[in-house]
């Protein structure tokens, strides 16, 4: 799949926890997760346009994918340019509901359809009626290294990915700007629970801490470069409205 999940991003090495405090964080998040799963089991309203595929439902990471985002790729080899794109699309099932279809195209604008396959028909695992999700979209180019780590020259080859953003998950909020994706921390767990101040809806005007999860620019020793395509700021969704299960698994792994 072309949709990259935040739960697959590497953990931030600059935010280690001590064993005792880390254990407490894990237990607290596990309690929240169990409550959240009970809520999600009775709700098909994701809050924005997403779905969970049959394949993802069979895994231990039932990650929703965003619907309606065209992600392009291009490869130039021997003077030949191969273009393509992909997006998930809602289609009327003729019975008052929807099917989610994965469509593949032979151009970079999702207009010249090549093939399609239905990924979800169960109305409990798709939301085709809500507004589009706020996302961060990035284009990854292959590149040639320059004289320094932040200096590289891009080629014509690229692939695009999309991340959910502006989502509050039990006190953890994902945001973006032209420089990448960030995880904002709103919960103060105190010292092993003593003096804890939990802001599960990310309602404070400023986060307590912020980690950068994905950064644009040259990386991989200059052989790749990430360039922002879209940072669609929107109303922050609360986890009690939108079921982004993978984000909770991600925060448990911090």
């Amino acid at each position: 799949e072309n949709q990259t999940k935040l739960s697959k991003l590497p953990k931030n090495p600059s935010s280690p926890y001590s064993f005792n405090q880390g254990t407490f964080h894990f237990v607290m998040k596990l309690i929240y997760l169990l409550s959240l799963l009970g809520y999600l089991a009775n709700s098909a309203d994701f809050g924005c346009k997403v779905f969970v595929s049959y394949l993802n439902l069979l895994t231990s990471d039932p990650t929703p994918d965003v619907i309606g985002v065209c992600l392009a790729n291009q490869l130039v080899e021997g003077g030949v340019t191969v273009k393509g794109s992909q997006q998930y699309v809602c289609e009327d099932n003729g019975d008052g509901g929807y099917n989610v279809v994965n469509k593949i195209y032979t151009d970079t604008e999702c207009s010249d359809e090549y093939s399609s396959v239905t990924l979800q028909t169960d109305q409990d695992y798709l939301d085709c009626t809500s507004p589009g999700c706020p996302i961060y979209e990035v284009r990854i180019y292959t590149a040639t290294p320059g004289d320094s780590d932040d200096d590289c020259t891009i080629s014509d080859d690229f692939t695009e990915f999309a991340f959910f953003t502006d989502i509050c998950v039990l006190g953890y909020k994902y945001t973006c700007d032209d420089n990448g994706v960030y995880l904002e921390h709103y919960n103060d767990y105190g010292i092993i629970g003593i003096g804890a101040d939990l802001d599960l809806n990310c309602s404070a005007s400023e986060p307590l801490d912020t980690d950068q999860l994905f950064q644009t620019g040259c990386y991989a020793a200059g052989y790749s470069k990430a360039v922002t395509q879209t940072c669609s700021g929107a109303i922050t969704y609360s986890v009690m409205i939108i079921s982004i299960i993978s984000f909770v698994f991600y925060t448990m792994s911090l």
Side-chain angles (χ1 to χ4, degrees), residues 55-131:
L55 178 61
N56 284 2
L57 287 170
L58 297 176
T59 72
S60 60
D61 182 20
T63 307
D65 285 298
V66 64
I67 295 171
V69 177
C70 180
L71 297 174
N73 58 82
Q74 178 172 285
L75 176 65
V76 180
E77 187 71 34
V80 177
T81 300
V82 179
K83 298 181 179 182
S85 52
Q86 172 267 341
Q87 67 175 336
Y88 301 122
V89 178
C90 290
E91 293 187 344
D92 193 324
N93 66 3
D95 194 28
Y98 296 90
N99 297 332
V100 176
V101 179
N102 183 24
K103 294 195 174 187
I104 307 299
Y105 306 84
T106 57
D107 59 7
T108 57
E109 290 80 34
C110 291
S111 60
D112 187 8
E113 184 176 338
Y114 172 73
S115 65
S116 65
V117 58
T118 299
L119 298 183
Q120 186 57 269
T121 61
D122 191 329
Q123 305 305 296
D124 289 337
Y125 297 105
L126 60 87
D127 185 344
C128 287
T129 59
S130 292

Side-chain angles (χ1 to χ4, degrees), residues 2-208:
N2 229 0
Q3 308 272 356
T4 297
K5 284 78 174 179
L6 276 175
S7 58
K8 304 303 182 185
L9 290 172
K11 291 182 284 188
N12 191 310
S14 64
S15 302
Y17 295 118
S18 64
F19 172 78
N20 289 337
Q21 196 163 356
T23 301
F24 171 75
H25 290 180
F26 177 84
V27 172
M28 291 295 289
K29 292 167 190 171
L30 181 59
I31 293 172
Y32 300 150
L33 175 62
L34 293 176
S35 300
L36 174 64
L37 291 180
Y39 168 80
L40 297 181
N42 298 303
S43 175
D45 180 9
F46 290 107
C48 72
K49 196 169 289 186
V50 295
F51 79 105
V52 181
S53 70
Y54 290 119
L55 178 61
N56 284 2
L57 287 170
L58 297 176
T59 72
S60 60
D61 182 20
T63 307
D65 285 298
V66 64
I67 295 171
V69 177
C70 180
L71 297 174
N73 58 82
Q74 178 172 285
L75 176 65
V76 180
E77 187 71 34
V80 177
T81 300
V82 179
K83 298 181 179 182
S85 52
Q86 172 267 341
Q87 67 175 336
Y88 301 122
V89 178
C90 290
E91 293 187 344
D92 193 324
N93 66 3
D95 194 28
Y98 296 90
N99 297 332
V100 176
V101 179
N102 183 24
K103 294 195 174 187
I104 307 299
Y105 306 84
T106 57
D107 59 7
T108 57
E109 290 80 34
C110 291
S111 60
D112 187 8
E113 184 176 338
Y114 172 73
S115 65
S116 65
V117 58
T118 299
L119 298 183
Q120 186 57 269
T121 61
D122 191 329
Q123 305 305 296
D124 289 337
Y125 297 105
L126 60 87
D127 185 344
C128 287
T129 59
S130 292
C133 297
I135 63 164
Y136 172 78
E137 185 177 336
V138 63
R139 178 175 290 185
I140 308 295
Y141 289 92
T142 59
T144 302
D147 296 331
S148 62
D149 291 341
D150 58 356
D151 177 30
C152 62
T153 302
I154 63 172
S155 71
D156 293 325
D157 301 344
F158 64 83
T159 302
E160 293 178 347
F161 301 95
F163 306 140
F164 290 101
T165 187
D166 289 311
I167 304 294
C168 178
V169 183
L170 303 177
Y172 295 86
K173 181 180 175 183
Y174 295 83
T175 63
C176 66
D177 61 21
D178 286 344
N179 296 316
V181 178
Y182 305 86
L183 175 64
E184 298 180 346
H185 303 254
Y186 286 81
N187 290 330
D188 181 356
Y189 291 102
I191 301 176
I192 316 182
I194 299 174
D197 182 13
L198 304 182
D199 182 5
L200 302 182
N201 292 319
C202 307
S203 58
S205 59
E206 296 290 338
L208 298 175

